[in-house]
Amino acid sequence: MPARAPAPRPPRLPARLPLLLLLVLRARCLRAEPGQGARTWARFARAPDPEAAGLLHDTFPDGFLWAVGSAAYQTEGGWRQHGKGASIWDTFTHQSWAATPGPSSSDSPPPPPSSPSPPPATGDVASDSYNNVFRDTEGLRELGVTHYRFSISWARVLPNGSAGVPNREGLRYYRRLLERLRELGVQPVVTLYHWDLPQRLQDVYGGWASRALADHFRDYAELCFRHFGGQVKYWITMDNPYVVAWHGYATGRLAPGVRGSSRLGYLVAHNLILAHAKVWHLYNTSFRPTQGGQVSIALSSHWINPRRMTDDNIKQCQKSLDFVLGWFAKPIFIDGDYPESMKSNLSSLLPDFTESEKMFIKGTADFFALSFGPTLSFQLLDPYMKFRQLESPSLRQLLSWIDLEYNHPQIFIVENGWFVSGTTKRDDAKYMYYLKKFTMETLKAIRLDGVSVIGYTAWSLLDGFEWHRGYDIRRGLFYVDFLSRDKKLLPKSSALFYQKLIQSNGFPPVPENQPLQGTFPCGFAWGVVDHYMQVDTTLSQFTDPNVYLWDVHHSKRLIKVDGLVARKRKSYCVDFSAIRPQIALLREMHVSHYHFSLDWALILPLGNQSQVNRTILHFYRCVVGELVRANITPVVALWQPAPPHHGLPPALARQGAWENPHTALAFAEYAGLCFEELGHRVKFWITVSEPNTRNMTYRSGHHLLKAHALAWRLYDEKFRHSQKGKISIALQADWIEPACPFSQKDKEVAERVLQFDIGWLAEPIFGSGDYPGVMRDWLSQRSNFLLPYFTEDEKRLIRGSFDFLAVSHYTTILVDWEKEDPLKYNDYLAVQEMTDITWLNSPGQVAVVPWGLRKVLSWLRARYGDLPVYITANGIDDDPHQEQDQLRVYYVQNYLNEALKASVLDGVNLCGYFAYSFTDRSAPNFGFYRYAVNQFEPKPSMKHYRKIIDNNGFLDSDALGRFCPEEYTVCAECSLPHSRKSLLAFIAFLFFVLIISLSLIFYYSKKGRRNYK
């Protein structure tokens, strides 16, 4: 759907379009009718292409409002100070939680954690903002926000709730706050009512269940307009009336805790809407002319997706939003009346507006103030109002729905954010990445969907009392120690992120996230991987020694003649019918290298040379021979972990696998056999490919290192001189990134995980000959002495046993030291693994993070020097139901471009890249070729990869093609005399027969002439 500009801005279309088209589109926007929001689900039904789904490198419009917010009861404290009256939340929280009525459901708040904070949790002190105006405003200055949303405590300025003599100390507090904001150049966004109704009004009138409260609210608002209106340009009458009405007066989950009925909940909402309208008209007629401000109501919503894309499910989703957001938004923004779906379903429960009330309510908002986050979503949304559909934290879709449903209003997001555990201190990674997600979705709504979003408010400024959750969660950008006396504000990682976001006004393009034009070095190894190559030793029909007769009269079939067998001939490589089609596919890809693994268990079923499968060895010889003949370099791994038995011969697996030191000796024996049988044609060896350190004991890793070193030394001493190949180990090297880039503790955790994941095997070979010091120190601190020690001879054996550095890389993982989710916390390494929710993910939930490849290559170079590096595996899974594997195209393009940056900009000696995987047959959903019914079909990603190979990188559109000269491998044994011995012998025989025949003809013709004479 093309982007469309919101009213009242002119449409964002190219100026060259005819004026008539502009007028038509403009008219269509202005004629929008309620209910157009239902188009949103169809619009977002198709998964976006990877480019659109990832980060949008752009900035927000000039003049965008960057805000942060708080609410009086959550942060002020001082509940008895300077004449403040009691509010319904004071009363509600002072009651015993055990006696507080409320429904038992999965959404009920969890019990408070064991901590020194006294139960029950209240807002009596909270963050003590009432006594710390300067502290709070310094936090605003650090963030660099342009606006600050806060609420006025009704009971602090009018202790009894009614008009009369106001509380001077309360008024003085808010004047002091506003004056401090003026000094900082921060504009206030003031909420009149954020749930804390004066208790007296609840006692006398029954709270918002009485229509009389609207007049009291109007009087309170007038007081605030008169005292503060000269400094306030944005007013919010009330926050989240859905929660106030439904959970305050129907379910009783929140203050005042009235467990009424659905009818009472709808009546309270009715009164809230009328009260809001009264205040808007008051400001519009009496204060707007002199103060020039704007007034709205903060409406909260969730987002809901259909279980399946059917018309009925979409109607249920529309109804869900009608029952929560439309309940208040349609009367105010459209026609003064409730949504039709509510009226038709709740005719006996829903109060009616008179025609005059409809006119009074309609249009009583100057902008659309939206609240979106965990206060409602996944927390206080009544399960009944989901109508069996699926809730989702999708802000972009909600913004698009509001834009279409309510005639393109200007939207000010006045509350948005997430939460972390109450035990999390300053490294709030989960909150930070939700903040990134929501701001990115807002930017996309503006730039890609044409929604008019004028401002964004992160919630909240500082930790406070979180309503039904008490102090079990934290939502602040600044950390508050509630048990301390001074309650200093300490910036969290989310605050530093938000500060940087505001400074940049979004996510502007920077050199690091822009593609690089250029080529890889000449002679760069372009390869593809097939870790578990299908070994098919089925011979062609021409090797069948049996004799057959063709039954031409009856069955029309070949009939085997029993007892009659022809002489069995020697088999040749051409007899293996599976090899040449694979070679043809490789040639079609234009790769120069092909990386595959041998099957140790097939070659040596007993784990030693007492039984050697010569047929399998012959098959492998044929594979490498055909590869070399096709000018494709075979890259052969001796062992790759694989089921069953981890790729080991069953006999060795039963004897302890790599836990048994004998396995290392058996591996060296097996390697020697492979070198001897295949080494004349294989010049590129991998001893061990992708050992998984996360599933390996220290003892197994110890023996694995010795096995690699024994094989390497054997090749170096016995075979290298004659075979002239190179050999190394291939390590899995996914990047580990600190979840909070501003946190020193997260950086330490990331380095620790890298050393355990990569350094464990890399340091002994490429570094010191011993395990990383980080590993030994960490294990010693935990009294874990299971990490073995090498003897000096073993260190000399292992250190330097490489010719190059080979790594496989697939993804990037974030790590945090905070214990946010106990179920996902690794106590052994004291680390929490997580992901950035803005990252692309494959169907297999593998994160697509191209820059992680560049970082891991630079990390390896910094630690192990300027070694020749090969990326021996890099790939992603795709959706088998999609013909266009767009994600793999995106993956290959961007990961290779990051590899180019590592080579050109960072000085990494990158010599080759191998894409994973060759076909879906051996690696389902990872292949460049689909496989079905013995047929291989190239995917679009194969053609894209081939184009990059042909260009040797990334060339400008006007650049010439590949300039590197083609190099061909000279294969002495692949020359015609070696590769076609039988054919040459037959030709020689024919030539010999021809010479003899000609000689005999000449002889007898000459003899005949003599006899004639």
Side-chain angles (χ1 to χ4, degrees):
M1 179 177 178
R4 168 201 28 74
R9 295 185 317 187
R12 296 171 59 196
L13 293 169
R16 64 179 180 272
L17 289 180
L19 179 62
L20 179 61
L21 177 59
L22 292 175
L23 293 175
V24 169
L25 291 177
R26 174 76 168 176
R28 185 197 298 180
C29 291
L30 294 176
R31 290 199 306 269
E33 297 294 332
Q36 293 299 303
R39 292 158 44 193
T40 306
W41 287 282
R43 177 185 177 187
F44 288 97
R46 278 189 69 183
D49 62 67
E51 291 284 356
L55 282 177
L56 174 63
H57 294 291
D58 204 343
T59 57
F60 287 84
D62 293 339
F64 191 76
L65 313 182
W66 290 105
V68 68
S70 66
Y73 186 76
Q74 291 184 280
T75 60
E76 280 185 4
W79 79 287
R80 284 181 172 175
Q81 277 186 263
H82 302 150
K84 177 188 176 292
S87 74
I88 57 174
W89 271 95
D90 291 321
T91 304
F92 185 72
T93 57
H94 289 165
Q95 298 171 357
S96 171
W97 278 29
T100 301
S104 176
S105 73
S106 60
D107 288 337
S108 298
S114 56
S115 66
S117 57
T122 73
D124 292 356
V125 178
S127 316
D128 201 23
S129 289
Y130 181 72
N131 298 301
N132 288 282
V133 170
F134 184 81
R135 178 203 67 179
D136 291 357
T137 53
E138 276 298 289
L140 299 175
R141 185 184 61 78
E142 286 186 45
L143 290 174
V145 293
T146 60
H147 290 68
Y148 176 46
R149 182 191 171 198
F150 66 92
S151 70
I152 295 174
S153 172
W154 189 344
R156 194 177 293 284
V157 297
L158 290 173
N160 292 323
S162 303
V165 179
N167 179 10
R168 292 182 179 179
E169 289 299 322
L171 293 174
R172 184 178 292 115
Y173 165 68
Y174 293 111
R175 284 199 200 99
R176 193 163 69 249
L177 174 58
L178 288 168
E179 180 58 28
R180 177 65 178 152
L181 293 178
R182 187 189 64 80
E183 292 173 3
L184 294 174
V186 175
Q187 291 290 321
V189 180
V190 180
T191 305
L192 293 171
Y193 179 68
H194 203 126
W195 308 4
D196 49 350
L197 184 72
Q199 182 62 40
R200 181 178 174 277
L201 296 181
Q202 181 66 33
D203 295 339
V204 174
Y205 298 98
W208 290 106
S210 170
R211 275 206 174 199
L213 219 65
D215 292 326
H216 290 288
F217 186 54
R218 180 193 179 282
D219 295 340
Y220 159 60
E222 183 175 9
L223 174 71
C224 293
F225 293 154
R226 291 191 186 280
H227 281 271
F228 311 127
Q231 295 175 268
V232 179
K233 300 305 178 187
Y234 289 94
W235 290 97
I236 305 292
T237 56
M238 57 186 67
D239 182 86
N240 205 336
Y242 167 88
V243 169
V244 174
W246 196 252
H247 291 300
Y249 293 86
T251 69
R253 290 184 65 182
L254 303 180
V258 177
R259 196 182 183 106
S261 62
S262 297
R263 185 184 300 275
L264 180 60
Y266 293 120
L267 175 62
V268 167
H270 200 74
N271 294 337
L272 288 169
I273 293 172
L274 289 169
H276 156 77
K278 279 194 174 187
V279 171
W280 186 90
H281 283 288
L282 167 68
Y283 189 86
N284 193 52
T285 57
S286 302
F287 295 95
R288 193 191 303 274
T290 56
Q291 296 180 359
Q294 300 183 63
V295 180
S296 190
I297 180 172
L299 302 180
S300 187
S301 186
H302 62 303
W303 181 249
I304 198 92
N305 282 323
R307 287 186 179 274
R308 289 185 299 276
M309 281 298 294
T310 64
D311 291 342
D312 182 65
N313 282 345
I314 291 175
K315 287 179 181 178
Q316 296 304 311
C317 289
Q318 178 76 13
K319 187 193 297 186
S320 177
L321 293 179
D322 283 346
F323 269 62
V324 178
L325 179 56
W327 185 2
F328 303 93
K330 185 172 178 287
I332 293 169
F333 287 92
I334 299 298
D335 60 4
D337 203 0
Y338 296 116
E340 288 300 321
S341 60
M342 293 188 72
K343 293 167 68 174
S344 61
N345 282 270
L346 305 169
S347 56
S348 62
L349 300 176
L350 201 63
D352 293 321
F353 290 116
T354 65
E355 290 303 316
S356 61
E357 285 175 337
K358 291 178 184 178
M359 295 301 295
F360 186 71
I361 294 167
K362 179 182 176 181
T364 55
D366 301 318
F367 56 93
F368 198 110
L370 174 64
S371 170
F372 182 77
T375 300
L376 179 66
S377 296
F378 302 97
Q379 295 288 325
L380 293 173
L381 176 63
D382 194 300
Y384 162 74
M385 295 183 183
K386 296 180 186 179
F387 297 102
R388 299 182 179 180
Q389 305 307 309
L390 302 174
E391 199 174 355
S392 169
S394 301
L395 178 56
R396 179 183 174 186
Q397 284 90 323
L398 177 61
L399 291 170
S400 181
W401 185 87
I402 292 170
D403 181 62
L404 293 170
E405 187 77 6
Y406 301 117
N407 203 12
H408 322 297
Q410 285 192 325
I411 303 172
F412 189 174
I413 300 170
V414 294
E415 177 182 345
N416 182 237
W418 208 246
F419 64 91
V420 292
S421 165
T423 60
T424 299
K425 293 182 171 59
R426 297 180 61 183
D427 291 331
D428 56 340
K430 184 175 81 169
Y431 180 100
M432 182 179 71
Y433 287 109
Y434 268 99
L435 186 60
K436 180 183 177 184
K437 165 187 164 66
F438 291 138
T439 51
M440 174 54 63
E441 290 188 355
T442 302
L443 179 62
K444 288 182 177 180
I446 295 170
R447 295 302 189 194
L448 303 182
D449 308 332
V451 180
S452 178
V453 183
I454 62 172
Y456 178 88
T457 306
W459 198 271
S460 64
L461 172 64
L462 68 167
D463 291 332
F465 174 80
E466 291 300 333
W467 309 116
H468 63 299
R469 301 293 296 271
Y471 296 100
D472 291 351
I473 64 172
R474 293 176 180 267
R475 294 191 64 193
L477 297 175
F478 285 85
Y479 172 79
V480 176
D481 181 355
F482 296 112
L483 300 181
S484 66
R485 296 186 62 182
D486 56 4
K487 293 182 173 54
K488 291 182 179 179
L489 295 192
L490 300 174
K492 301 181 186 179
S493 291
S494 57
L496 300 176
F497 168 81
Y498 196 47
Q499 177 192 61
K500 185 177 180 181
L501 180 69
I502 294 171
Q503 288 174 351
S504 303
N505 197 37
F507 305 88
V510 294
E512 287 76 15
N513 56 42
Q514 296 303 298
L516 178 67
Q517 298 293 327
T519 59
F520 289 92
C522 291
F524 192 77
W526 291 103
V528 68
V529 191
D530 197 0
H531 281 324
Y532 311 115
M533 183 178 67
Q534 298 291 322
V535 177
D536 185 355
T537 57
T538 303
L539 299 176
S540 67
Q541 61 182 337
F542 300 108
T543 61
D544 188 353
N546 294 296
V547 177
Y548 298 85
L549 291 177
W550 187 12
D551 184 3
V552 295
H553 298 293
H554 299 95
S555 65
K556 309 294 185 181
R557 295 180 180 177
L558 292 174
I559 300 175
K560 181 180 176 182
V561 179
D562 294 330
L564 188 58
V565 179
R567 190 178 67 173
K568 189 174 182 179
R569 71 170 176 83
K570 179 183 176 182
S571 64
Y572 297 96
C573 289
V574 292
D575 295 326
F576 292 115
S577 57
I579 295 178
R580 289 200 170 182
Q582 302 295 302
I583 302 298
L585 297 181
L586 291 169
R587 298 187 69 170
E588 184 182 30
M589 289 187 75
H590 297 182
V591 293
S592 61
H593 290 63
Y594 175 54
H595 175 24
F596 67 94
S597 300
L598 302 178
D599 193 325
W600 185 359
L602 282 180
I603 296 173
L604 297 179
L606 301 180
N608 55 51
Q609 295 194 37
S610 62
Q611 181 179 335
V612 179
N613 191 329
R614 295 292 173 184
T615 302
I616 296 297
L617 274 176
H618 180 50
F619 176 82
Y620 283 132
R621 275 197 301 270
C622 290
V623 169
V624 297
E626 292 295 320
L627 286 170
V628 173
R629 185 173 297 111
N631 204 40
I632 298 172
T633 301
V635 179
V636 181
L638 295 172
W639 178 72
Q640 171 99 22
H645 311 303
H646 306 289
L648 296 171
L652 295 179
R654 288 193 298 269
Q655 294 170 13
W658 290 108
E659 290 283 321
N660 189 337
H662 173 73
T663 304
L665 301 175
F667 180 76
E669 181 184 4
Y670 157 65
L673 174 66
C674 295
F675 297 152
E676 188 172 337
E677 295 288 336
L678 306 175
H680 293 291
R681 293 180 179 176
V682 177
K683 308 303 178 187
F684 200 138
W685 289 98
I686 301 291
T687 55
V688 175
S689 180
E690 295 187 18
N692 190 345
T693 54
R694 297 196 172 195
N695 292 329
M696 191 163 58
T697 66
Y698 296 127
R699 185 178 176 86
S700 294
H702 199 70
H703 296 150
L704 192 69
L705 282 167
K706 289 196 282 187
H708 154 76
L710 287 171
W712 191 91
R713 298 293 174 188
L714 175 65
Y715 187 85
D716 188 56
E717 295 168 5
K718 187 175 179 181
F719 297 97
R720 188 189 301 275
H721 178 73
S722 59
Q723 297 180 0
K724 296 180 172 50
K726 52 189 175 182
I727 182 170
S728 194
I729 187 172
L731 303 176
Q732 183 161 338
D734 289 335
W735 178 242
I736 306 298
E737 178 77 3
C740 298
F742 316 102
S743 167
Q744 184 58 37
K745 287 187 176 181
D746 276 6
K747 291 177 182 177
E748 293 171 1
V749 165
E751 181 63 24
R752 178 161 66 246
V753 176
L754 282 169
Q755 292 293 354
F756 271 80
D757 280 1
I758 306 173
W760 178 3
L761 300 180
E763 181 64 25
I765 298 171
F766 302 98
S768 63
D770 201 355
Y771 295 115
V774 171
M775 285 186 72
R776 288 217 183 271
D777 293 344
W778 178 256
L779 295 175
S780 296
Q781 291 173 21
R782 299 185 169 259
S783 301
N784 185 326
F785 306 107
L786 296 177
L787 189 64
Y789 285 86
F790 292 113
T791 66
E792 291 302 317
D793 287 341
E794 288 172 338
K795 288 180 182 180
R796 284 191 292 270
L797 172 76
I798 296 170
R799 185 180 183 184
S801 56
F802 66 90
D803 296 326
F804 52 88
L805 174 58
V807 294
S808 59
H809 174 90
Y810 300 98
T811 190
T812 291
I813 301 168
L814 297 175
V815 291
D816 184 17
W817 73 274
E818 294 269 19
K819 193 173 185 177
E820 174 64 30
D821 185 350
L823 296 177
K824 297 180 180 179
Y825 190 77
N826 183 338
D827 288 293
Y828 188 70
L829 292 179
V831 62
Q832 177 96 51
E833 290 192 356
M834 60 186 305
T835 187
D836 181 342
I837 55 175
T838 66
W839 287 348
L840 287 173
N841 282 279
S842 72
Q845 295 304 301
V846 177
V848 179
V849 193
W851 50 260
L853 175 58
R854 181 182 178 185
K855 286 199 172 187
V856 77
L857 291 175
S858 296
W859 184 85
L860 290 165
R861 180 176 185 268
R863 275 148 189 80
Y864 305 119
D866 189 21
L867 304 177
V869 178
Y870 290 86
I871 301 167
T872 50
N874 178 239
I876 196 74
D877 60 299
D878 61 14
D879 186 345
H881 303 295
Q882 290 186 357
E883 288 190 12
Q884 306 295 319
D885 58 339
Q886 293 179 316
L887 181 60
R888 183 174 294 104
V889 171
Y890 176 87
Y891 186 97
V892 170
Q893 172 81 15
N894 288 276
Y895 271 81
L896 262 171
N897 199 262
E898 292 297 320
L900 180 65
K901 292 176 185 176
S903 175
V904 175
L905 303 180
D906 305 335
V908 175
N909 185 13
L910 189 61
C911 300
Y913 173 89
F914 293 75
Y916 180 79
S917 170
F918 183 28
T919 71
D920 283 343
R921 184 183 184 188
S922 57
N925 305 332
F926 279 84
F928 284 93
Y929 285 88
R930 290 187 183 87
Y931 176 77
V933 198
N934 293 323
Q935 296 293 320
F936 293 93
E937 178 189 353
K939 301 178 185 179
S941 56
M942 187 282 287
K943 298 175 183 177
H944 187 74
Y945 183 41
R946 182 174 63 188
K947 181 180 177 182
I948 296 174
I949 294 173
D950 291 344
N951 290 330
N952 199 37
F954 303 90
L955 296 176
D956 292 319
S957 57
D958 57 348
L960 297 176
R962 180 173 178 172
F963 57 85
C964 291
E966 296 286 350
E967 295 181 3
Y968 292 94
T969 304
V970 177
C971 174
E973 295 188 9
C974 298
S975 58
L976 191 61
H978 286 83
S979 60
R980 296 291 184 267
K981 290 181 179 179
S982 300
L983 178 62
L984 290 175
F986 181 66
I987 293 173
F989 172 74
L990 290 178
F991 183 74
F992 176 75
V993 171
L994 177 63
I995 295 297
I996 295 299
S997 300
L998 290 174
S999 299
L1000 289 174
I1001 292 170
F1002 178 76
Y1003 171 76
Y1004 283 107
S1005 63
K1006 193 172 182 180
K1007 183 178 180 182
R1009 285 197 300 270
R1010 284 201 304 266
N1011 291 337
Y1012 178 75
K1013 291 178 181 179

